[in-house]
Amino acid sequence: MFKEADIRPKELLAGQAELLAHDINLLLKHKNDFISVTCPACCSINSDRIYEKYGIQFVTCRECETVYANPRPRPEHLEEYYKYSKNYAYWNKYIFPASEVTRRERIFKPRVQKVIDICHRFNVLTDTILEVGTGFGIFCEEMKKTGVFQRVLGVEPTPDLAETCRHRGIEVIEKPIEQIDFGNNRINVIVNFEVIEHLFSPKEFVLKCYEFLVEGGIFILTCPNVKGFDIATLGNISSAIDNEHINLFNLQSLTILLESYGFEVIEKQTPGQLDAELVRNKIISGEFDVTNQPFLQQILIDEWESKGEAFQNFLSENQLSSNMLLVARKP
């Protein structure tokens, strides 16, 4: 069974606490200049405060139940954050290399195959694929190996990560996608994995991706599902709720966002593999009390070895995982 420690080694995570505090302060020094926004999915102005974490106030939309940071850091605050993040530099230097083999085999190779399968199922041409938020570069590297696409291109605005991608031989653009101009060139497939939750304006991002795609091209994205098991169960103690994840959509609200700006959503999945273990780990650490929740005690603790994997499979197969994948087509 896939485990959190496989991709987030505990002995290395201990070294990031001070760096994370530094990064949070990068944002919070601008707190008086944070800006109020409407719902990033449906643009409703109606919301209710639900919790604060790391000095960031989160609200939930009364219309579509998206959870989002409001008020939130401005675009220039976020740009500064990712440019000078010590935590990202630490992950790039220590955590990603230490977990690369597992990430490659358990996450990126299956992800590459899934994207190829989607392209085949929906008869999408495979001239050019663009990954927004290339990170450590493993997806692009593995996609290049397949030879399926004639051109594999990455966008990665964080300097340390962009440099890592270049060392891997990946063609990478080191700036936010909103600042890129491809001229008359168009792309067949745009993918982004755990990106949209970080953005000041998901609307602007979606519109830009729509603009870059050819007609019939597809947009594949993954992000947290705020109605999925681990987030819905743990609330603000879920690791998915942090200072960077300022947009937490659900399957329905992300569909609303994509369809509002021209996309046709053609597939929805929740392929997450860690929900059950993430909640289990919080119980074991004493951060989450299940004294009055005998079902969770039974599944996640008492009968974990015999039922844990089956329970996780149930969540994933029934659109109940806290990680979701949507495929949208440009008509």
Side-chain angles (χ1 to χ4, degrees):
M1 187 175 178
F2 192 29
K3 296 181 179 179
E4 181 183 14
D6 293 336
I7 57 172
R8 301 169 192 152
K10 290 182 179 179
E11 67 276 11
L12 293 178
L13 287 180
Q16 70 164 149
E18 185 177 337
L19 306 177
L20 177 60
H22 164 272
D23 289 359
I24 291 169
N25 286 332
L26 274 178
L27 287 180
L28 294 185
K29 72 179 183 181
H30 300 296
K31 191 168 183 177
N32 290 338
D33 293 323
F34 282 10
I35 188 170
S36 294
V37 296
T38 59
C39 173
C42 71
C43 298
S44 172
I45 62 172
N46 299 313
S47 64
D48 296 303
R49 292 186 175 193
I50 48 174
Y51 41 68
E52 182 174 302
K53 189 171 184 181
Y54 299 136
I56 307 290
Q57 176 65 55
F58 288 88
V59 303
T60 183
C61 176
R62 294 178 191 168
E63 308 299 328
C64 70
E65 299 181 273
T66 294
V67 172
Y68 59 101
N70 196 30
R72 64 179 50 195
R74 295 174 183 268
E76 59 268 28
H77 303 155
L78 294 172
E79 187 172 347
E80 175 190 54
Y81 176 88
Y82 290 109
K83 184 175 182 179
Y84 297 108
S85 168
K86 290 187 176 181
N87 192 35
Y88 271 85
Y90 181 83
W91 274 73
N92 186 46
K93 186 174 181 180
Y94 297 107
I95 297 178
F96 280 138
S99 60
E100 179 177 346
V101 173
T102 300
R103 287 174 179 271
R104 187 181 296 273
E105 295 300 321
R106 298 299 302 270
I107 297 175
F108 290 101
K109 285 185 177 180
R111 185 175 279 174
V112 164
Q113 190 56 53
K114 178 171 284 190
V115 169
I116 292 171
D117 291 344
I118 290 170
C119 291
H120 289 161
R121 280 194 287 115
F122 293 108
N123 297 314
V124 178
L125 295 176
T126 55
D127 296 329
T128 304
I129 185 170
L130 169 68
E131 182 186 14
V132 184
T134 312
F136 203 53
I138 304 175
F139 175 85
C140 284
E141 189 175 47
E142 288 298 326
M143 184 59 80
K144 282 182 68 175
K145 289 178 184 178
T146 69
V148 170
F149 284 87
Q150 295 179 30
R151 186 185 184 194
V152 177
L153 179 63
V155 170
E156 178 49 63
T158 303
D160 286 345
L161 294 174
E163 185 60 25
T164 296
C165 291
R166 292 190 194 97
H167 282 305
R168 293 183 183 275
I170 297 165
E171 182 182 357
V172 64
I173 301 172
E174 190 181 322
K175 61 173 66 174
I177 191 169
E178 294 85 355
Q179 299 176 16
I180 297 172
D181 183 1
F182 285 117
N184 294 323
N185 295 320
R186 290 293 177 267
I187 295 162
N188 303 102
V189 179
I190 296 177
V191 299
N192 55 107
F193 309 109
E194 288 73 58
V195 170
I196 198 167
E197 65 268 28
H198 296 259
L199 304 177
F200 175 82
S201 176
K203 168 188 173 180
E204 186 178 349
F205 173 67
V206 169
L207 283 170
K208 198 72 171 177
C209 291
Y210 186 90
E211 172 193 335
F212 288 159
L213 282 170
V214 300
E215 291 185 5
I218 59 172
F219 182 53
I220 302 172
L221 70 163
T222 66
C223 64
N225 170 22
V226 76
K227 288 190 174 184
F229 178 70
D230 90 74
I231 302 178
T233 302
L234 297 174
N236 67 334
I237 67 169
S238 166
S239 59
I241 310 295
D242 65 18
N243 58 300
E244 296 180 30
H245 293 174
I246 57 177
N247 313 292
L248 291 153
F249 300 103
N250 54 65
L251 284 165
Q252 293 73 30
S253 69
L254 189 53
T255 298
I256 289 170
L257 172 65
L258 295 173
E259 292 184 345
S260 294
Y261 300 107
F263 280 108
E264 173 194 5
V265 175
I266 54 179
E267 188 159 299
K268 302 177 188 180
Q269 304 176 16
T270 62
Q273 301 178 62
L274 290 175
D275 299 71
E277 194 203 357
L278 289 171
V279 176
R280 169 181 161 83
N281 288 345
K282 293 293 186 183
I283 297 169
I284 293 171
S285 70
E287 296 173 76
F288 184 64
D289 184 8
V290 290
T291 301
N292 297 316
Q293 301 191 58
F295 177 76
L296 294 184
Q297 173 70 36
Q298 177 186 355
I299 297 294
L300 301 180
I301 302 297
D302 300 339
E303 301 179 27
W304 173 252
E305 295 301 327
S306 61
K307 292 186 170 63
E309 186 170 4
F311 182 62
Q312 180 63 54
N313 290 339
F314 169 81
L315 296 173
S316 301
E317 292 165 6
N318 289 277
Q319 297 192 340
L320 295 171
S321 166
S322 289
N323 175 266
M324 60 181 172
L325 179 150
L326 270 69
V327 183
R329 177 164 50 201
K330 179 177 179 177

